[in-house]
Amino acid sequence: MGLVITMSRRYGTGASTIAKELSERLELPVYDKVDVEQEIRENAFETVRGLAEQPCIILGRCASEILKDQSNVFNIYVCADKEDRIHRVMERDSLSYEEAVKRIEETDAEREKYYYQHTGRTWGDVSNYHIILDTSEWGIENCADVLIRYF
């Protein structure tokens, strides 16, 4: 089995950009919420397992927990300071400061709830991941470079 990368993240951290860069440089497809839910609506967990039969990058969807027993899986968690996330979302989505704060808080709460409902575990618990990347400290581009060097 080839490499499968799972990437969990707080909203607005730039993880999608990191995943895209890894995808291009490692020549791996990236799957996210839309891909998983379009694939099969009844059982997203089986879809994640099916996608992981080939080398790929999976964003979210509890993939780190679903695939935790597979030796070819590398789990990444991406975080950033809240202010950095707010400004990234403001710029990316043309939102006011208040709108960006609201979107971040709502999205993070939804992700936390989804993760707990489907795994019974705490979203963002460091023991669930092999590496944690802070895009506020490292920058998005540097995070992608660090991962490329690792792989």
Side-chain angles (χ1 to χ4, degrees):
M1 285 186 137
L3 176 65
V4 174
I5 300 168
T6 73
M7 194 173 292
S8 299
R9 73 274 189 219
R10 296 266 177 208
Y11 188 73
T13 60
S16 297
T17 304
I18 295 169
K20 183 179 183 230
E21 181 70 21
L22 288 177
S23 171
E24 291 170 1
R25 292 170 69 180
L26 296 174
E27 298 180 359
L28 296 175
V30 176
Y31 302 109
D32 62 10
K33 175 182 178 178
V34 173
D35 298 310
V36 171
E37 291 181 357
Q38 282 179 349
E39 193 71 28
I40 183 168
R41 295 196 185 281
E42 299 83 42
N43 194 338
F45 280 28
E46 286 306 315
T47 300
V48 167
R49 285 188 189 96
L51 293 171
E53 290 176 4
Q54 299 294 322
C56 66
I57 300 167
I58 303 173
L59 283 167
R61 301 297 89 191
C62 305
S64 59
E65 184 66 18
I66 295 166
L67 304 172
K68 67 182 177 183
D69 296 327
Q70 290 185 211
S71 62
N72 64 319
V73 175
F74 189 82
N75 299 318
I76 301 167
Y77 186 79
V78 182
C79 62
D81 293 338
K82 189 169 184 178
E83 283 299 312
D84 289 344
R85 296 165 54 212
I86 292 167
H87 290 285
R88 189 174 291 120
V89 170
M90 286 173 61
E91 183 178 320
R92 185 189 67 206
D93 299 338
S94 300
L95 298 175
S96 70
Y97 185 90
E98 294 76 20
E99 291 169 325
V101 168
K102 183 178 179 187
R103 183 171 294 171
I104 285 170
E105 289 174 353
E106 288 174 352
T107 303
D108 282 350
E110 288 169 9
R111 288 178 178 177
E112 184 175 13
K113 181 180 174 184
Y114 180 91
Y115 194 88
Y116 185 77
Q117 284 177 330
H118 291 89
T119 68
R121 297 192 67 177
T122 302
W123 180 59
D125 179 351
V126 295
S127 65
N128 297 337
Y129 305 98
H130 297 104
I131 189 169
I132 298 168
L133 298 172
D134 184 338
T135 58
S136 292
E137 292 293 322
W138 288 75
I140 294 169
E141 297 78 18
N142 287 336
C143 287
D145 287 341
V146 165
L147 292 170
I148 289 296
R149 280 187 238 134
Y150 179 83
F151 296 125

